[in-house]
Amino acid sequence: MKNSSASAATAEPARLSSVVVELSAAIAAVTDESPKILVVQPPDTAARAGLPCGPFDPTGHRTLEEGLRTSVNQQTGLALGYVEQLYTFGNQFRDPEERAGGPRPVSVGYLALVRQTEVKSSAKADWVDWYRHFPWEDARKGTPTILGSVILPRLTTWREDAKGPERLRRRDRLALAFGLEGAAWDNERVLDRYELLYEAGLVFEASFDSGQKVEPNVVAAQMVTGAALTKDHRRILATALGRLRAKIKYRPVIFELMPPTFTLFQLQRAVEALAGGPLHKQNFRRLVANEGLVEPTGHVSAQTGGRPAEIFRFRREVVHERPAPGVRVPVRVRK
Amino acid sequence: MKNSSASAATAEPARLSSVVVELSAAIAAVTDESPKILVVQPPDTAARAGLPCGPFDPTGHRTLEEGLRTSVNQQTGLALGYVEQLYTFGNQFRDPEERAGGPRPVSVGYLALVRQTEVKSSAKADWVDWYRHFPWEDARKGTPTILGSVILPRLTTWREDAKGPERLRRRDRLALAFGLEGAAWDNERVLDRYELLYEAGLVFEASFDSGQKVEPNVVAAQMVTGAALTKDHRRILATALGRLRAKIKYRPVIFELMPPTFTLFQLQRAVEALAGGPLHKQNFRRLVANEGLVEPTGHVSAQTGGRPAEIFRFRREVVHERPAPGVRVPVRVRK
DNA sequence: CCATATATGCTCAAAGTAAGCACAAGTTAC
DNA sequence: GTAACTTGTGCTTACTTTGAGCATATATGG
């Protein structure tokens, strides 16, 4: 424990072996039935976009979460409500500056949920569709075509390129992550899938980080595997999506993303947007009603172009009544 | 992002505002039907015991997990198998050295699972009963007496000491964490409970960290709220227990703690040890069997002092067959 | 009024769960 | 050896949850 502070006392080597703790936030919202996240465009337009983030300042920040909130506030003007820590990454060479002798970034990723598209500040921050970065994760209108046309064929090739036990390991991981060979597609395994694409060199970040030239056909594949982000931000985003998909099932976090009142169909659309697949309507409403997650406001909405929908609000009391109050996502209906 | 490395260039302030990333491991095992964790006793016997940990070295470690594995190996001689990141804490003043101008520790906590009590090295590391640090979490033989005799009365006092909205917030948190006012006891909320005890000053670490004198009756309460650990290690341990209790339900992690073959009752005892409560025997075995988690070896055990039990082994294939293969913990039987 | 769209209520079969009874097959006390 | 006890295992039963779909209610646009 003492060693690190001791090495920090020396002059030049200290710069080389130093660590910077970076706090990054995947800030999610749901608007117009589509999941959004906030990305910031750096002033240098050639650089890749990234998540709102900033360095942890031990003198100014009493906790990591406080540091995150102030960073995000300065950068985007948003005052975050629900915030949850995701994961801490410290992999080598995810930041190009490190090769140039820069400090090793240890990045703590957070998931934040905000209601609607609260206006952002002057900063160059944009709400973009979450699936722009993960086109293979959106199965709301059937299995994404990229899966069958590009991703699975290339991953299969990558798997067969390996020899011996490594090939078996790859076969295993592929089957589990993408629901092959009898396994079921698990919508929470977003990170597993992204990591496989990264290792197989099918996302832009992979060849960028390795610093090596890539073949033209690989470049072509990278074109359709979603928009890249700076450093490991897409990885944080994958972690966030996976965690959020898991969490809506046992905590009422979906309501952090909804307006104060809503129809059950709006709620269903929001859950579908995050879960990435269509749900059985009647069962969905029965479940949310049975769980006591919502209560009627007594009003109805006429905006629907059909029979008016009853308007509901979230019942805060559920958290006291049930051990795991969440939206029980019913079976995925094939479309 | 540039600011932090810039501030590191100056001489004295850099020491004050520096950050050290510390990697800590909650290494769990189950022996003799009781859950164990590995704690190391510092050479200075006056100091509190702690988890195996070490600083993250950006020059030597390519990833955080690699850093953890080498740290633990050097310190205890253990070669970890299953390892999972838990949470990253960066709270101020959890390390007394910080008040003396030391660097701010950002500690990344890990959960590691090892089989049986693999021999430890020469280091002063001991396997201790996990519940020694959390006596209120073990309900295998009925509700722990400390809960009713000390913890809940004092927490109630603490709750009522607050005024206005803060009192309501405390009421809410207390009810949720400890299953009061109609809520159910959720065995996964280990961290929530520990944090409440910490905030209420009922664990030793709280008064130590604050640096303030405490009243004699509070000291008395701290005597029965389990063994303290250094810095925030008990918090990491609480996180680990909560996560493990959640995880055994949907991932077959329990088998990381079991010997290669075992009887169903041994398996049940192991799950009970972690879950902290008794289970219904017949239903437990039906669930484990139905899930296809285990398969018979064809042998029987004669060690049981009763009818010999069939010996099983883990069926690795389940991970391919079911989306969430875990030990479905049946209802808690009241004892 | 009709076609059509969405909202909502209801049924029904299949599967899963909690609880407990009964019996099997060993060990230990005497 | 036998009774008493311990642990293991099969099975029943009432109840709850789930997946799926049918039917009906109430809007809109022609």
Side-chain angles (χ1 to χ4, degrees):
Chain A
M1 266 170 273
K2 299 270 163 150
N3 299 3
S4 66
S5 43
S7 73
T10 54
E12 258 309 283
R15 296 294 300 277
L16 282 168
S17 70
S18 65
V19 170
V20 166
V21 174
E22 183 177 284
L23 307 169
S24 319
I27 308 176
V30 176
T31 357
D32 302 329
E33 307 188 343
S34 91
K36 298 275 167 64
I37 51 130
L38 196 63
V39 301
V40 293
Q41 194 65 47
D44 170 9
T45 49
R48 281 175 283 166
L51 300 177
C53 67
F56 173 60
D57 169 19
T59 56
H61 303 147
R62 278 175 314 180
T63 66
L64 294 175
E65 192 180 306
E66 184 188 309
L68 179 92
R69 286 176 189 274
T70 43
S71 276
V72 167
N73 190 270
Q74 284 164 10
Q75 206 163 138
T76 69
L78 281 179
L80 298 181
Y82 180 92
V83 163
E84 169 186 350
Q85 194 189 99
L86 290 172
Y87 202 82
T88 303
F89 297 101
N91 288 26
Q92 208 169 23
F93 301 139
R94 288 277 170 131
D95 183 348
E97 287 185 32
E98 197 186 344
R99 285 187 198 274
R104 174 71 153 275
V106 168
S107 78
V108 186
Y110 281 83
L111 167 66
L113 306 179
V114 304
R115 225 166 294 275
Q116 296 283 75
T117 307
E118 286 171 14
V119 279
K120 62 189 199 304
S121 83
S122 56
K124 293 197 196 97
D126 288 309
W127 290 104
V128 302
D129 192 294
W130 204 326
Y131 295 123
R132 201 179 82 170
H133 303 282
F134 304 97
W136 60 89
E137 293 289 347
D138 184 10
R140 280 176 295 177
K141 297 185 176 158
T143 308
T145 48
I146 325 130
L147 263 181
S149 64
V150 179
I151 293 181
L152 288 180
R154 298 206 75 90
L155 279 178
T156 312
T157 312
W158 170 77
R159 177 184 73 190
E160 299 304 323
D161 281 349
K163 290 161 193 34
E166 174 60 13
R167 185 187 292 190
L168 288 176
R169 284 234 325 275
R170 289 184 181 181
R171 170 178 294 270
D172 232 50
R173 292 177 59 199
L174 246 177
L176 230 81
F178 287 90
L180 311 178
E181 300 168 31
W185 174 278
D186 182 346
N187 73 349
E188 297 175 20
R189 295 185 177 272
V190 187
L191 184 61
D192 292 353
R193 288 186 280 269
Y194 176 72
E195 293 279 6
L196 279 172
L197 289 172
Y198 183 95
E199 283 183 47
L202 297 179
V203 291
F204 176 76
E205 288 94 332
S207 24
F208 182 88
D209 294 352
S210 73
Q212 293 172 353
K213 274 258 167 70
V214 292
E215 296 168 37
N217 61 341
V218 173
V219 174
Q222 288 176 357
M223 298 294 288
V224 296
T225 49
L229 291 174
T230 189
K231 291 183 272 187
D232 57 359
H233 287 190
R234 206 163 160 204
R235 183 141 73 135
I236 294 172
L237 211 46
T239 314
L241 183 52
R243 182 80 130 260
L244 188 50
R245 283 180 171 179
K247 201 130 193 180
I248 49 174
K249 292 174 193 157
Y250 62 94
R251 284 290 116 96
V253 285
I254 184 73
F255 300 104
E256 305 285 341
L257 300 165
M258 301 293 296
T261 63
F262 44 82
T263 71
L264 289 187
F265 198 49
Q266 284 169 349
L267 184 65
Q268 179 180 345
R269 286 299 191 205
V271 173
E272 286 177 338
L274 296 176
L279 305 177
H280 185 283
K281 194 169 178 175
Q282 294 95 318
N283 289 344
F284 176 84
R285 58 175 40 244
R286 182 185 45 177
L287 285 178
V288 271
N290 282 2
E291 305 270 316
L293 280 169
V294 297
E295 61 189 359
T297 61
H299 300 155
V300 290
S301 151
Q303 338 268 3
T304 53
R307 170 172 169 178
E310 208 171 344
I311 296 185
F312 290 83
R313 77 168 71 88
F314 173 49
R315 268 190 73 235
R316 303 218 161 268
E317 308 90 281
V318 270
V319 287
H320 303 308
E321 297 164 2
R322 319 190 118 253
V327 179
R328 309 288 291 281
V329 180
V331 183
R332 185 192 254 108
V333 175
R334 240 166 305 285
K335 245 188 194 167
Chain B
M1 268 167 274
K2 301 266 163 150
N3 298 3
S4 68
S5 43
S7 73
T10 53
E12 257 310 282
R15 296 295 300 277
L16 282 167
S17 71
S18 65
V19 170
V20 166
V21 173
E22 184 177 284
L23 307 168
S24 318
I27 307 176
V30 175
T31 358
D32 303 328
E33 308 188 342
S34 90
K36 298 274 168 65
I37 51 130
L38 196 64
V39 300
V40 293
Q41 194 66 45
D44 170 9
T45 49
R48 281 175 283 166
L51 301 177
C53 67
F56 173 58
D57 169 19
T59 56
H61 302 146
R62 277 177 314 180
T63 65
L64 293 175
E65 192 180 306
E66 184 188 309
L68 180 91
R69 287 177 189 274
T70 43
S71 276
V72 168
N73 190 271
Q74 284 165 10
Q75 206 163 139
T76 69
L78 281 179
L80 298 181
Y82 180 93
V83 163
E84 169 186 350
Q85 193 188 99
L86 291 173
Y87 203 82
T88 303
F89 297 102
N91 288 26
Q92 209 170 23
F93 301 140
R94 288 279 169 130
D95 184 349
E97 286 184 32
E98 196 186 343
R99 286 186 198 274
R104 173 72 151 275
V106 167
S107 76
V108 186
Y110 281 82
L111 166 65
L113 305 179
V114 303
R115 226 166 291 275
Q116 296 283 78
T117 308
E118 285 171 15
V119 280
K120 62 187 198 307
S121 82
S122 55
K124 293 196 196 100
D126 289 309
W127 290 104
V128 303
D129 192 293
W130 204 327
Y131 295 122
R132 200 179 80 170
H133 303 281
F134 304 97
W136 59 87
E137 294 289 347
D138 184 10
R140 281 176 294 177
K141 298 186 175 155
T143 307
T145 49
I146 325 132
L147 263 181
S149 64
V150 179
I151 292 181
L152 288 180
R154 299 206 74 91
L155 279 178
T156 312
T157 311
W158 169 78
R159 177 185 74 190
E160 300 304 321
D161 280 349
K163 290 161 191 37
E166 173 60 13
R167 184 187 293 190
L168 287 177
R169 283 236 324 275
R170 289 185 182 181
R171 170 178 295 270
D172 233 52
R173 292 177 59 199
L174 246 179
L176 229 82
F178 286 91
L180 311 178
E181 300 169 30
W185 174 278
D186 183 345
N187 73 350
E188 297 175 20
R189 294 186 178 271
V190 187
L191 183 61
D192 292 354
R193 288 186 280 269
Y194 176 72
E195 294 279 5
L196 279 172
L197 289 171
Y198 183 96
E199 283 184 46
L202 297 179
V203 291
F204 176 76
E205 289 94 329
S207 25
F208 182 88
D209 294 352
S210 74
Q212 294 172 351
K213 274 259 165 70
V214 292
E215 297 167 39
N217 61 343
V218 173
V219 174
Q222 289 176 358
M223 297 295 288
V224 296
T225 50
L229 290 174
T230 188
K231 292 184 270 186
D232 57 359
H233 287 191
R234 206 163 160 205
R235 184 141 71 136
I236 294 172
L237 211 46
T239 314
L241 183 51
R243 182 80 130 260
L244 188 49
R245 283 180 171 180
K247 200 130 194 180
I248 48 175
K249 291 173 193 157
Y250 61 94
R251 284 288 117 96
V253 286
I254 184 72
F255 301 104
E256 303 285 341
L257 300 165
M258 301 293 296
T261 62
F262 45 81
T263 70
L264 290 185
F265 199 49
Q266 283 168 349
L267 185 65
Q268 179 180 347
R269 286 300 191 204
V271 173
E272 287 176 336
L274 297 176
L279 305 175
H280 185 283
K281 195 171 179 175
Q282 295 95 318
N283 288 343
F284 176 84
R285 59 173 41 244
R286 175 176 46 111
L287 285 178
V288 191
N290 280 3
E291 304 271 316
L293 280 169
V294 296
E295 61 189 359
T297 61
H299 300 156
V300 290
S301 151
Q303 337 269 3
T304 54
R307 167 173 169 177
E310 207 171 345
I311 296 184
F312 291 83
R313 76 167 73 88
F314 173 49
R315 269 190 74 235
R316 303 217 160 268
E317 307 90 280
V318 270
V319 288
H320 304 306
E321 298 164 2
R322 318 190 119 253
V327 179
R328 309 287 292 282
V329 180
V331 183
R332 184 192 253 109
V333 175
R334 239 166 307 283
K335 244 186 195 167

